[in-house]
């Protein structure tokens, strides 16, 4: 097995350290990607710290990956050496169940294989993008359009598709009022996409400190949720609300901001349950839903949409030895709006 440089967590309580991980030999349908940039997602922090369950260590996280194809298996048809390619949150699925056949590999009925911390088909534990190279089945490698800046493309593979998928599923567009809760790594992409789709966009953030950014990114309105008057003024306003916050929020307060038949969709993943008052649903036929990433076809659609509309993530490029500092800044909401590791600094 080839060995590649990496930054990985030795345990749930220790900082990430420079190390190496093994990659599998290239199979007939595999591509080898030399990683150029890897985004830091809040999910990386939750996972390596064991917030979402015990892990096997050492663990190299990272599921926002872009790079160059440097080698292809004998039967690969989707990619060629020299292509710009990306890998998102999954590197495998059964490809046979009802959801996989529909293009919803993320909802594979046998369980999709996550890009890191998951059991792969060969029984090994997957290692993610905080590495210099990755081997992946060609089906799960995306084409990165030339129109999207490379360093700003990596977060699209998680943050981007996580917001694009529910906006498309609930038909965001002209005539719809859409609210984005939280203006962070996820939320800023939601604003860009909802605006490009033609919806009237409102940001609901804890304070007004990012208001100028929100309006620049495409929001029509911006409100502080720390002000109780916000919830009075906006009652019954929205067709669709996307909650990007990965911490407990008052779901019932946000449900009351929906119109009849409105939908509140959680894409943030807090570690604790979110209580829901059933009358906030049944008295206005509202819905409370969840959504994760999109399938491979939808993710490619999203990337092509970005190229067509000039959309990319707002990023801060860091060296690998700044990862632990970046984690602390993510937890403190001190990033606008996604850290991206330059993997050349891992050589």
């Amino acid at each position: 097995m080839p060995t590649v440089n990496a930054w990985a967590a030795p345990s749930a309580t220790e900082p990430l350290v420079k190390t190496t991980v093994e990659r599998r030999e290239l199979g007939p349908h595999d591509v080898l990607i030399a990683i150029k940039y890897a985004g830091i997602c809040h999910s990386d922090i939750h996972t390596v710290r064991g917030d979402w369950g015990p892990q096997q260590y050492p663990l190299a996280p990272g599921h926002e990956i872009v790079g160059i194809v440097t080698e292809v298996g004998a039967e690969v048809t989707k990619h060629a050496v020299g292509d710009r390619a990306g890998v998102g949150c999954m590197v495998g699925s059964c490809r046979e169940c009802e959801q996989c056949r529909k293009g919803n590999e993320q909802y594979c009925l046998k369980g999709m294989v996550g890009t890191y911390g998951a059991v792969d088909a060969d029984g090994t534990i997957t290692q993610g993008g905080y590495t210099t190279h990755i081997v992946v089945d060609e089906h799960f490698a995306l084409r990165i359009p030339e129109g999207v800046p490379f360093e700003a493309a990596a977060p699209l593979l998680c943050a981007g598709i996580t917001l694009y998928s529910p906006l498309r599923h609930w038909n965001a567009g002209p005539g719809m009022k859409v609210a984005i809760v939280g203006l962070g790594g996820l939320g800023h992409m939601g604003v860009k996409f909802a605006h490009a789709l033609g919806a009237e966009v409102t940001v609901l953030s804890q304070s007004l400190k990012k208001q100028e950014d929100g309006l620049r990114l495409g929001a029509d309105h911006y409100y502080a949720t720390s002000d109780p008057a916000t919830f009075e003024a906006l009652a019954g306003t929205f067709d669709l609300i996307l909650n990007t916050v990965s911490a407990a929020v008052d779901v019932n307060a946000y449900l009351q901001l929906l119109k009849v038949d409105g939908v509140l969709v959680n894409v943030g993943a807090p570690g604790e349950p979110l209580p829901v008052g059933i009358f906030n649903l049944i008295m206005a036929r509202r819905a409370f839903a969840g959504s994760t990433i999109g399938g491979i076809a939808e993710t490619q659609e999203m990337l092509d949409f970005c190229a067509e509309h000039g959309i990319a993530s707002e990023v801060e490029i860091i060296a690998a030895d700044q990862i632990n500092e970046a984690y602390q800044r993510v937890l403190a909401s001190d990033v606008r709006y996604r850290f991206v590791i330059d993997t050349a600094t891992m050589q």
Side-chain angles (χ1 to χ4, degrees):
M1 287 185 171
T3 298
V4 301
N5 290 342
W7 277 71
S11 73
T13 58
E14 297 174 87
L16 277 70
V17 297
K18 186 175 182 179
T19 184
T20 60
V21 299
E22 292 183 337
R23 293 301 189 191
R24 68 171 181 262
E25 297 287 351
L26 212 65
H29 293 284
D30 288 338
V31 295
L32 174 64
I33 299 172
I35 300 172
K36 300 302 181 184
Y37 297 99
I40 291 179
C41 177
H42 205 146
S43 299
D44 301 345
I45 303 173
H46 281 303
T47 303
V48 300
R49 293 189 171 183
D51 295 341
W52 294 341
Q55 303 295 319
Q56 290 192 35
Y57 300 94
L59 179 61
H63 54 208
E64 299 179 341
I65 302 164
V66 294
I68 301 295
V69 176
T70 58
E71 191 175 347
V72 299
E75 299 179 30
V76 168
T77 59
K78 184 178 175 183
H79 302 279
V81 172
D83 285 356
R84 289 160 45 108
V87 179
C89 299
M90 56 183 169
V91 293
S93 72
C94 79
R95 311 275 295 277
E96 297 175 349
C97 72
E98 177 186 4
Q99 291 305 316
C100 283
R101 293 197 305 272
K102 288 181 177 179
N104 293 327
E105 298 95 339
Q106 75 277 28
Y107 301 127
C108 175
L109 299 179
K110 296 182 181 179
M112 65 92 165
V113 180
T115 303
Y116 62 86
V119 180
D120 211 344
D122 61 0
T124 60
I125 301 300
T126 56
Q127 301 287 348
Y130 296 10
T131 58
T132 57
H133 297 76
I134 189 169
V135 176
V136 63
D137 184 289
E138 63 172 329
H139 178 77
F140 293 92
L142 287 304
R143 178 183 54 82
I144 306 298
E146 292 291 340
V148 181
F150 220 13
E151 69 280 3
L156 299 177
L157 279 304
C158 175
I161 188 57
T162 296
L163 273 295
Y164 183 84
S165 186
L167 286 167
R168 292 291 285 171
H169 181 77
W170 277 280
N171 300 310
M176 285 189 68
K177 292 186 176 182
V178 174
I180 307 296
V181 182
L183 190 69
L186 295 176
H188 91 286
M189 293 307 310
V191 171
K192 289 189 175 191
F193 284 135
H195 174 74
L197 289 165
E200 182 178 331
V201 186
T202 298
V203 173
L204 301 174
S205 185
Q206 190 171 18
S207 72
L208 298 179
K209 67 180 182 179
K210 297 180 183 177
Q211 183 174 18
E212 184 177 343
D213 272 6
L215 298 177
R216 173 180 61 83
L217 294 170
D220 300 288
H221 315 285
Y222 200 108
Y223 290 87
T225 56
S226 57
D227 182 355
T230 291
F231 290 91
E232 296 175 10
L234 298 178
T237 295
F238 301 108
D239 300 286
L240 177 65
I241 300 175
L242 301 185
N243 176 27
T244 71
V245 178
S246 289
V249 301
D250 186 350
V251 171
N252 298 292
Y254 288 100
L255 285 172
Q256 292 177 34
L257 301 184
L258 293 170
K259 296 178 180 178
V260 172
D261 290 327
V263 183
L264 169 61
V265 183
N266 236 73
V267 296
E272 57 267 54
L274 300 178
V276 177
I278 196 65
F279 282 97
N280 289 317
L281 300 176
I282 64 177
M283 297 307 292
R285 202 165 59 192
R286 299 174 177 127
F288 180 37
S291 179
T292 182
I293 57 171
I296 294 300
E298 187 175 52
T299 305
Q300 189 63 61
E301 175 189 307
M302 177 271 304
L303 289 167
D304 295 339
F305 183 89
C306 287
E308 179 182 353
H309 293 272
I311 294 173
S313 300
E314 309 279 312
V315 302
E316 181 176 335
I317 307 298
I318 63 169
D321 61 7
Q322 295 175 286
I323 291 172
N324 291 302
E325 176 189 349
Y327 273 25
Q328 295 306 313
R329 288 181 58 191
V330 169
L331 294 172
S333 299
D334 180 25
V335 55
R336 297 193 179 183
Y337 282 94
R338 205 64 154 185
F339 286 117
V340 172
I341 306 161
D342 179 354
T343 59
T345 61
M346 296 183 186
Q347 301 296 339

